[in-house]
Amino acid sequence: MSLQIEQIILHQLIRKSETEIDVVLRDSVLENHQVVTDLIADINRVYNNKAKAYGLFHENSLFETSVKEMKLGNQDFLNFSQQSVKQLRNELAKYPFAEGGSVVFCLYRYLAVEYLLIAVLNTCHSMLVNDKLEINQTQYLDIDHADIIARIDITEWQTDPDSKRYLTFLKGRVGRKVSDFFMDYLGASEGLNAKNQNKNLVQAVDDYCQEIQLDKQEKKAVREQVYGYCKGQLEAGEEIKLSNLAKELPTSDDNNFTSFVAGQDYDLDEEFPVDRATLRQLKKFSGSGGGLTINFDSDLLGERIRWDAQTDTLVIKGLPPNLRDQLQRNNK
């Protein structure tokens, strides 16, 4: 991994009560050695594998102002991190569920792009067996379960002021607005909505298939082609590019996917990240509500599964054996 750390430091936030949080400040940056590099590599690994949202700074963001001052050389990285973690403490204090932890600030370069990463990591306790086979208690940073991480693409932030995606952050756990205080601290809001972009793409593909009058099998082939392209982009760490995707789709005498999308109100960017969950709609039908959850491959519709629109009824032929077994046991 060609990751070059420029500056890195960590501080601690320790919750004392529902309204009181202590700040423990480090007074010097960390030395850049292999353990430090491994730490940032691990945080990036976890971060890249989790669902993220995309954002941008508010006009009056104190955090953005601090980053500007640092980049201009008006304050050093140490002072920036110390003042910034105090601001984070003030936001954390508003949320009793927020536990604090070790706060990592890191400026680094990866593939010629400069990033600023901020992560709040919990400390976990475990057991360690030493060389005398004695059991001792130890502590470690719980990186794998981190859910409070943000990363600013400094290069894009400086070169493209109209960008709505130079800031990325983890969405947090459902039911707990973990990212709320983090966004308030950053002075940022959501920008590019990757999930909506992917939803609009799925809708545009279906509408296009209807527009050029593809039959059922042709539409199925197009859906699989789009899914294959997007999956390939995701696995390669790349984004969906409409111009490249359009080249793989069929055309009619007077229409192609590029012109079709341009002439409609799908609000699709030329490039946007892949949202794996949304793109499953190209391969599956699913839904839940009222105690019922249904999920099946789109290939089965019209074959083993039929939908009666008039009665809003699904007829399923050939139930899964384990479901049939449960029904039979319940019927006795």
Side-chain angles (χ1 to χ4, degrees):
M1 186 177 185
S2 55
L3 189 153
Q4 299 177 338
I5 294 177
E6 297 179 349
Q7 302 257 35
I8 181 171
I9 195 170
L10 60 82
H11 308 289
Q12 278 193 329
L13 295 173
I14 303 173
R15 180 171 287 282
K16 293 296 185 179
S17 67
E18 285 194 359
T19 58
E20 183 183 4
I21 298 176
D22 285 350
V23 181
V24 181
L25 298 176
R26 183 178 168 85
D27 59 6
S28 62
V29 297
L30 290 167
E31 292 184 12
N32 189 359
H33 50 73
Q34 190 59 47
V35 174
V36 169
T37 301
D38 290 344
L39 169 67
I40 299 303
D42 281 349
I43 294 175
N44 269 287
R45 171 185 56 80
V46 170
Y47 186 69
N48 291 334
N49 289 333
K50 291 192 176 186
K52 292 176 286 293
Y54 298 77
L56 67 163
F57 292 122
H58 295 153
E59 187 174 344
N60 58 349
S61 168
L62 293 177
F63 183 85
E64 182 184 31
T65 300
S66 296
V67 175
K68 284 180 179 178
E69 290 298 301
M70 179 187 63
K71 293 303 294 179
L72 289 171
N74 296 332
Q75 67 172 337
D76 60 22
F77 184 75
L78 173 63
N79 182 255
F80 157 74
S81 68
Q82 290 176 335
Q83 296 304 313
S84 189
V85 79
K86 291 176 183 178
Q87 294 173 11
L88 178 57
R89 184 266 312 274
N90 295 338
E91 292 299 333
L92 266 172
K94 301 175 184 177
Y95 296 81
F97 64 76
E99 301 169 356
S102 297
V103 186
V104 179
F105 293 85
C106 183
L107 264 177
Y108 69 94
R109 287 187 177 274
Y110 179 62
L111 300 178
V113 178
E114 186 178 27
Y115 295 99
L116 172 62
L117 181 140
I118 309 100
V120 182
L121 305 176
N122 292 328
T123 299
C124 290
H125 299 276
S126 185
M127 298 297 174
L128 176 69
V129 177
N130 63 20
D131 54 3
K132 296 181 180 179
L133 299 182
E134 297 171 335
I135 299 176
N136 298 310
Q137 192 175 64
T138 186
Q139 295 182 337
Y140 66 93
L141 294 174
D142 190 10
I143 298 174
D144 286 340
H145 296 101
D147 57 9
I148 305 174
I149 306 176
R151 186 172 67 187
I152 297 95
D153 184 328
I154 298 292
T155 303
E156 183 170 343
W157 170 65
Q158 290 182 319
T159 59
D160 186 3
D162 295 326
S163 171
K164 296 181 180 180
R165 50 187 298 177
Y166 53 76
L167 187 155
T168 59
F169 58 98
L170 296 185
K171 293 182 178 181
R173 294 187 291 270
V174 176
R176 292 180 64 189
K177 297 185 177 180
V178 177
S179 61
D180 283 5
F181 70 83
F182 213 44
M183 294 303 286
D184 290 341
Y185 151 68
L186 294 170
S189 58
E190 188 170 351
L192 175 74
N193 190 315
K195 186 171 185 177
N196 283 346
Q197 289 279 304
N198 282 255
K199 281 184 176 179
N200 293 344
L201 174 63
V202 173
Q203 185 63 56
V205 169
D206 285 345
D207 292 347
Y208 179 66
C209 290
Q210 184 174 351
E211 176 75 12
I212 62 176
Q213 300 180 345
L214 299 184
D215 61 30
K216 180 180 177 180
Q217 290 303 315
E218 290 172 330
K219 180 178 178 180
K220 174 186 171 184
V222 167
R223 277 174 152 254
E224 290 182 348
Q225 199 167 4
V226 172
Y227 181 81
Y229 167 79
C230 295
K231 182 181 179 183
Q233 294 297 100
L234 180 65
E235 291 174 348
E238 301 289 339
E239 297 189 347
I240 296 170
K241 297 182 180 180
L242 285 183
S243 56
N244 290 346
L245 176 60
K247 295 175 183 177
E248 300 189 20
L249 299 182
T251 61
S252 64
D253 293 337
D254 57 352
N255 209 346
N256 59 65
F257 188 67
T258 300
S259 60
F260 175 77
V261 169
Q264 305 294 325
D265 188 24
Y266 293 109
D267 193 27
L268 284 170
D269 290 355
E270 166 58 25
E271 295 185 25
F272 51 89
V274 179
D275 184 77
R276 188 196 304 269
T278 302
L279 287 171
R280 289 197 188 103
Q281 296 176 24
L282 292 167
K283 300 283 288 183
K284 291 180 177 293
F285 290 104
S286 63
S288 61
L292 179 68
T293 297
I294 298 176
N295 184 324
F296 59 90
D297 291 344
S298 58
D299 295 351
L300 300 179
L301 190 63
E303 302 297 332
R304 286 176 54 193
I305 299 177
R306 296 186 181 276
W307 177 48
D308 187 329
Q310 296 296 323
T311 61
D312 194 24
T313 303
L314 279 180
V315 177
I316 305 173
K317 295 182 179 181
L319 296 180
N322 57 347
L323 175 58
R324 187 189 310 115
D325 181 58
Q326 294 175 59
L327 293 172
Q328 288 172 342
R329 283 187 279 115
N330 185 69
N331 199 39
K332 291 180 180 179

